Amino acid sequence: MKIAILGYGLEGKAAERYFRELYPDATLEIFDDKLAETKIDFGQEDFSDFDFVVRTPSISPYLLRSAQKVTSNTIEFFAKCPCKIIGITGTKGKSTTSALIAAIMEEAVKTANEKKPLAFPRKVFLVGNIGAPALDVLQEIKKDDVVVYEMSSYQLWDLKQSPEVAVMTPIAPDHLDVHRDLEDYLESKKNIFRYQKEGDTLIRYGENPGSDTSMLQLRGKHNHENALSAIAAARAYNARFLGLEDADFEEAVDRALANFKGLPHRLEFVRVLGGVKFFDDNFSSASPALEVAMKSFDEPMAVIAGGFDRHLGNHQEIAESIKRAKDLRFVALIGQTAPKIALYLGDESPLALAKDKYKIFGNLPDAVAACFEAVKESGGVVVMSPGTPSFDMFKNFQDRGEQYQKIVNALAPANQPQDSLAPPSSIASALGEGTSPSCPTGNSPHILRRQIDDCALGKALFLAYVLSGISYYKAFPSRHVRLMEGVELLPAQVKLFDAAYQEGLGQFAYENKLTRADLAHFGERAAPSEQAFGFDGYDFNGKTAAFRYSVGDLRFTESVEFAEADLRPKVISMQSGGKDSLLLATMLKEQGVNFAPWFVRSGEHHPKVLDKLDNLLLATRKIDREGLAAAAEKGGKNGHIPITYVLQSLALVQAVLLGAKTVLGAIGDEGTEPHSVLPPLGKESSAGYEPPLAVNHQWSKTREAEELYAKYIKSEIGEGYKVYSPLRNTSELTIAKMFVEKCWKEFGREFSSCNVANYRQHADNRELKWCGDCPKCANSFLLFAPWLSAEQLTPLFGGQDLFAKERLYHTFKGLLGIDGVEKPFECVGSVEELRTAYHLSHPEEDGDYADLPFDVPPAE
């Protein structure tokens, strides 16, 4: 069989994965301009020798007449999907409507699963333009699940099957650079209901009165109309397929509307500065969307509009929409369409704007600054709603929106440096007198002895303060947190802190029967009367930081005493007494790097093995054990936290105090696959989506977590600061081999990776030990066995060959992926590399170690 896939974007790649699995012996050929030396002319290309051609969006079916058969991801999905489908199409509002439908169905399905449990609990899948590529999830879908499919005209173009529930949002001319004409565009849209059968439902925008949308938090009449369409579609699906009682269904609707926060770049609130509210409506690429935005505000408004010219002749329409805004103060025009829109803004009509009320700008920062200036006295709004595509100045609407938000978040009042992204002055005052309003730090003796990067220090302390709070937050987790008065987080801070308090607490949530919705959402504000976890401020005297937190009547105070030294290292190397960090220190020494090893202790002691490292720095973290004990007496929860994030943030503070700009962790390519996944609770949006939550003990050690942290450091701490692991691309098995080669002679009898025998709060960890019974011991035994003889390795474990230890058989099964035994909640290697280690240590002849009493499959 021979298959052609036309286009290699998201859907093209999904098609390749799907058809390679479906037809493993078939020949697949990819046709895409980015992969070809010359541009592909699909109208001239001969596809007659392919059994079938897979058309991806934007490639016209009219160009494929030579093909024997043409299909698409959408056609294939509709043919194979085992459950009923809610399909949504239109020009504007379809993504918001799709997300709202998914949110309502999530709540309804949650209730149905409780009241009418099935062998396979029902799930909701959001696919298409807004969600995952449909073919990527097809194999997961069961007959009682729900699919919400956002469908473009391209996906509908040649579809000959309609969903059981179809939704039409407003339609206006669009994509005419791809479709033959407006009629072709409209006819493709009609396929969403053209093939519906008796009993199927069509929902049209603006034809769905009678539902209460007062719980919806979004601005604009159009969003309430979208909500009415979403409720009508979900109600039709429930009546025919789900069967919830009316009262239960309406409760699900109310919960969904109340929790829905909207989608990125669709009238998305960005920030308040000096009383001015900034909104990002950069998804607006057609005049109807801009008109909707103009109708959504009563406040004094400045608007940014214009962009790529598609030659639709709608420049007057755009200008008229802008001029009809209720209290328009200023218009900033950008892009190719700016001169044409300007002609109609200042025309002879009764609504014509005075010449000083609009201006063409050559760049976005100047446009944003002018709009802010125009409304700052009146405390109005600045809205970027271009009404045109983005391709003249930006990659896409997401890029346009992200650049706009970055510019807005960098704005500062007149008395504050323009480039300041620092915590507000209330934090500065908490750090002592003599602080700058932009980049606070303590007025302390160390400043007299050395030049400190005050800006970076203030920001690093704030980062360490928030991340250290996880230790106390977990006692009584809540969705909302309350920051000290005057603190307004930037988007980058919200993103990192949400990840740490959600992804970083995946195992904690799993073990305490919580969901992502129960965990902290830093972008939301706590109600005044709501009990929320409180960040109450912190102090720093130049050496010791005191972090204060609270929940209800409980108060917590943690202190961290940082090391003082005359050293001026370029690098801080985090140490634990385990193999990875000792190997890293050895490698840095071999390479002549000016570094200082750094260890944070919880009591008076530290591992003696670290004394073999020159220039050792010791910090002391004193957790509020009394406060946590009081919390436990009141029923407080406990569990694993993303400790790597906490410790590397403290290390960053230490680095700044010593004039270093680089913090190195020692994290290899560990087995960081999740143990389980907590299901999604909503729909995709920057604020409202509650996506699946991975249950991963090692989340803060993952590549994803490191990259997120690195981006934060680069944008928020200061130029040149870095926190990363040089061992990131090195497997744990290779690290063990390198440790034996480089470090065994010096550290082999004194290091340990066992958490049971070491590293407990206030434990005497001067002499590191191995318990010989835990998953970490079994993992380390596996990793070192290929490189060491039993005579060398077993003395660490009291002379025991752990492969012969019966009570560890179950643990080894989990580590090696045998008989479905769950992988231990520990920082351990991947199944594949541990299987490799086992087979390397067990040659066919003359093995040095005992055999496990079960077959270990080879690594794939």
Side-chain angles (χ1 to χ4, degrees):
M1 179 178 288
K2 195 174 180 184
I3 304 169
I5 296 177
L6 313 185
Y8 203 56
L10 285 176
E11 291 221 3
K13 291 172 181 175
E16 181 190 20
R17 290 189 290 270
Y18 175 83
F19 286 108
R20 283 199 190 282
E21 183 174 346
L22 189 62
Y23 302 111
D25 297 324
T27 300
L28 267 69
E29 289 190 29
I30 311 293
F31 293 80
D32 188 282
D33 286 340
K34 294 177 181 177
L35 305 178
E37 293 182 3
T38 58
K39 186 175 178 63
I40 298 171
D41 186 343
F42 291 105
Q44 297 299 315
E45 196 79 23
D46 184 6
F47 297 105
S48 59
D49 61 337
F50 290 89
D51 292 89
F52 63 90
V53 169
V54 183
R55 179 189 71 80
T56 60
S58 81
I59 295 176
S60 169
Y62 306 133
L63 300 176
L64 308 177
R65 301 189 187 281
S66 65
Q68 297 181 46
K69 176 185 174 182
V70 178
T71 188
S72 69
N73 292 27
T74 307
I75 292 172
E76 183 72 9
F77 183 87
F78 267 70
K80 301 285 181 63
C81 181
C83 73
K84 308 304 181 185
I85 299 174
I86 304 174
I88 305 93
T89 196
T91 306
K92 293 299 167 188
K94 62 180 182 291
S95 292
T96 298
T97 303
S98 299
L100 272 166
I101 292 171
I104 295 168
M105 293 310 303
E106 285 282 0
E107 293 292 344
V109 161
K110 187 190 305 181
T111 302
N113 285 336
E114 293 170 357
K115 292 181 176 291
K116 303 176 182 179
L118 300 177
F120 295 97
R122 304 167 184 86
K123 296 181 180 179
V124 178
F125 292 84
L126 181 59
V127 301
N129 281 11
I130 187 174
L135 290 184
D136 277 353
V137 299
L138 180 57
Q139 301 304 317
E140 302 175 38
I141 299 173
K142 306 288 190 301
K143 69 180 182 64
D144 294 303
D145 291 337
V146 184
V147 166
V148 181
Y149 200 143
E150 182 188 324
M151 309 172 75
S152 69
S153 61
Y154 300 145
Q155 291 163 318
L156 287 161
W157 217 335
D158 48 2
L159 184 64
K160 299 295 191 291
Q161 189 176 347
S162 298
E164 286 79 4
V165 178
V167 181
M168 295 280 285
T169 68
I171 293 180
D174 201 6
H175 301 309
L176 300 187
D177 53 340
V178 178
H179 284 277
R180 286 176 167 176
D181 49 32
L182 179 59
E183 182 180 358
D184 185 50
Y185 175 70
L186 296 177
E187 287 299 311
S188 73
K189 293 289 189 183
K190 291 179 182 178
N191 285 341
I192 200 168
F193 63 83
R194 196 189 303 272
Y195 305 100
Q196 283 191 318
K197 301 178 178 63
E198 184 177 352
D200 291 346
T201 304
L202 171 63
I203 306 294
R204 294 183 185 273
Y205 180 90
E207 299 178 0
N208 308 287
S211 295
D212 179 12
T213 62
S214 61
M215 299 290 285
L216 190 68
Q217 304 298 305
L218 305 186
R219 283 199 178 231
K221 178 183 176 183
H222 67 293
N223 277 322
H224 287 266
E225 288 288 354
N226 290 335
L228 288 171
S229 294
I231 295 167
R235 184 175 286 130
Y237 187 96
N238 177 61
R240 189 174 173 195
F241 303 118
L242 197 59
L244 278 183
E245 295 293 334
D246 288 348
D248 291 330
F249 177 78
E250 296 305 325
E251 286 182 10
V253 170
D254 287 345
R255 289 195 302 271
L257 296 187
N259 292 326
F260 187 75
K261 298 298 187 294
L263 299 179
H265 314 304
R266 279 92 158 169
L267 281 179
E268 179 186 359
F269 172 72
V270 180
R271 72 176 293 197
V272 177
L273 178 64
V276 176
K277 297 178 181 178
F278 291 83
F279 289 85
D280 172 5
D281 195 40
N282 275 286
F283 188 71
S284 162
S285 59
S287 52
L290 181 143
E291 182 174 4
V292 165
M294 297 302 97
K295 292 178 179 178
S296 298
F297 298 92
D298 296 322
E299 303 96 318
M301 179 168 62
V303 60
I304 303 170
F308 179 72
D309 195 348
R310 273 185 173 165
H311 304 289
L312 298 178
N314 62 345
H315 308 104
Q316 182 175 3
E317 184 179 335
I318 291 172
E320 294 298 326
S321 295
I322 294 172
K323 289 190 290 186
R324 285 194 290 269
K326 291 180 181 177
D327 190 357
L328 185 65
R329 301 297 177 92
F330 186 75
V331 182
L333 298 172
I334 61 172
Q336 295 175 353
T337 60
K340 297 178 182 179
I341 297 172
L343 288 175
Y344 294 103
L345 288 175
D347 59 15
E348 299 293 324
S349 72
L351 293 175
L353 299 182
K355 293 294 183 184
D356 64 342
K357 296 298 182 184
Y358 64 94
K359 183 178 178 180
I360 296 173
F361 293 86
N363 61 73
L364 186 54
D366 288 348
V368 171
C371 286
F372 177 52
E373 196 68 24
V375 295
K376 70 179 184 181
E377 296 298 325
S378 55
V381 297
V382 174
V383 184
M384 185 170 183
S385 184
T388 56
S390 56
F391 308 122
D392 55 341
M393 297 171 66
F394 309 93
K395 297 175 184 176
N396 47 44
F397 79 87
Q398 292 101 328
D399 177 46
R400 181 167 65 185
E402 288 166 5
Q403 291 201 38
Y404 170 70
Q405 292 198 20
K406 185 175 181 180
I407 293 164
V408 168
N409 283 316
L411 282 174
N415 63 349
Q416 187 175 351
Q418 190 68 17
D419 61 353
S420 169
L421 297 179
S425 57
S426 61
I427 297 179
S429 62
L431 294 175
E433 297 180 0
T435 59
S436 79
S438 60
C439 295
T441 174
N443 182 18
S444 56
H446 74 269
I447 295 177
L448 302 176
R449 296 200 300 270
R450 64 169 76 250
Q451 185 64 39
I452 300 294
D453 185 341
D454 290 357
C455 181
L457 179 58
K459 294 177 180 181
L461 279 165
F462 182 67
L463 174 63
Y465 165 55
V466 175
L467 294 180
S468 293
I470 299 175
S471 295
Y472 309 96
Y473 164 85
K474 69 178 180 180
F476 296 99
S478 60
R479 182 180 178 92
H480 296 127
V481 297
R482 184 173 290 110
L483 292 170
M484 67 197 83
E485 184 179 354
V487 174
E488 182 178 324
L489 297 179
L490 301 176
Q493 293 173 315
V494 171
K495 185 175 183 179
L496 183 77
F497 299 157
D498 275 0
Y501 278 72
Q502 293 174 27
E503 269 76 14
L505 290 175
Q507 177 186 337
F508 170 81
Y510 176 79
E511 292 176 336
N512 286 282
K513 295 182 172 54
L514 304 175
T515 67
R516 184 190 291 274
D518 300 314
L519 301 176
H521 290 60
F522 281 79
E524 302 177 9
R525 292 186 181 275
S529 61
E530 177 183 4
Q531 178 169 302
F533 183 78
F535 292 84
D536 299 333
Y538 62 96
D539 302 297
F540 183 63
N541 64 10
K543 181 179 182 181
T544 302
F547 301 152
R548 298 186 298 278
Y549 315 96
S550 65
V551 57
D553 60 352
L554 288 169
R555 298 291 181 269
F556 306 100
T557 300
E558 172 177 308
S559 67
V560 184
E561 183 180 304
F562 295 94
E564 290 188 298
D566 293 329
L567 302 172
R568 292 305 301 263
K570 292 186 177 298
V571 172
I572 297 295
S573 173
M574 297 172 64
Q575 292 295 313
S576 66
K579 70 180 189 312
D580 301 54
S581 59
L582 289 169
L583 173 63
L584 177 59
T586 301
M587 294 169 65
L588 293 173
K589 185 176 180 180
E590 288 178 347
Q591 296 166 17
V593 176
N594 177 14
F595 79 99
W598 178 84
F599 178 77
V600 59
R601 56 191 177 182
S602 61
E604 300 177 358
H605 309 302
H606 67 274
K608 284 200 312 184
V609 67
L610 298 181
D611 291 332
K612 293 186 174 183
L613 303 175
D614 295 335
N615 301 324
L616 177 64
L617 300 172
L618 297 172
T620 304
R621 181 186 182 212
K622 295 183 179 179
I623 291 177
D624 190 343
R625 297 166 66 211
E626 291 183 3
L628 289 173
E633 289 179 1
K634 295 189 174 187
K637 296 178 172 60
N638 198 4
H640 181 69
I641 68 169
I643 189 64
T644 300
Y645 259 27
V646 176
L647 297 181
Q648 67 191 23
S649 298
L650 297 176
L652 180 63
V653 175
Q654 183 71 76
V656 178
L657 288 172
L658 295 177
K661 285 198 167 186
T662 299
V663 172
L664 298 182
I667 303 168
D669 184 18
E670 301 185 9
T672 54
E673 64 274 12
H675 294 72
S676 180
V677 176
L678 299 178
L681 302 174
K683 63 286 167 193
E684 189 165 4
S685 89
S686 65
Y689 181 33
E690 302 291 357
L693 180 63
V695 179
N696 190 340
H697 177 86
Q698 305 185 78
W699 178 81
S700 59
K701 288 188 173 184
T702 62
R703 187 184 303 273
E704 169 197 4
E706 181 175 299
E707 290 175 352
L708 176 63
Y709 196 92
K711 288 180 181 177
Y712 181 93
I713 296 301
K714 183 177 180 181
S715 66
E716 304 303 320
I717 301 299
E719 189 64 34
Y721 286 94
K722 298 177 183 178
V723 179
Y724 69 99
S725 170
L727 302 178
R728 169 60 60 190
N729 296 317
T730 310
S731 73
E732 284 291 283
L733 185 56
T734 301
I735 289 173
K737 182 174 185 289
M738 294 172 66
F739 184 87
V740 169
E741 295 171 346
K742 295 177 177 291
C743 308
W744 191 262
K745 184 177 180 180
E746 187 170 8
F747 304 122
R749 297 303 176 105
E750 299 176 74
F751 84 105
S752 177
S753 300
C754 175
N755 292 330
V756 173
N758 315 289
Y759 311 121
R760 295 185 178 277
Q761 290 293 319
H762 275 266
D764 185 346
N765 61 348
R766 284 174 287 187
E767 304 289 344
L768 297 181
K769 307 174 184 67
W770 300 83
C771 75
D773 287 311
C774 72
K776 287 285 284 185
C777 286
N779 175 75
S780 297
F781 201 87
L782 272 166
L783 292 172
F784 282 113
W787 322 120
L788 293 168
S789 67
E791 184 180 1
Q792 293 171 298
L793 182 57
T794 56
L796 270 65
F797 304 94
Q800 303 174 93
D801 180 343
L802 298 193
F803 293 133
K805 200 166 185 176
E806 186 174 351
R807 62 172 175 264
L808 280 177
Y809 289 165
H810 188 79
T811 299
F812 279 120
K813 283 186 174 182
L815 293 171
L816 295 165
I818 309 295
D819 295 341
V821 177
E822 187 177 73
K823 184 178 178 181
F825 278 125
E826 267 294 0
C827 295
V828 294
S830 69
V831 167
E832 296 307 311
E833 70 175 334
L834 294 179
R835 287 181 178 180
T836 299
Y838 180 79
H839 287 291
L840 286 174
S841 62
H842 288 75
E844 293 183 4
E845 298 180 1
D846 301 325
D848 208 17
Y849 294 96
D851 294 326
L852 289 171
F854 46 80
D855 290 334
V856 177
E860 296 180 0

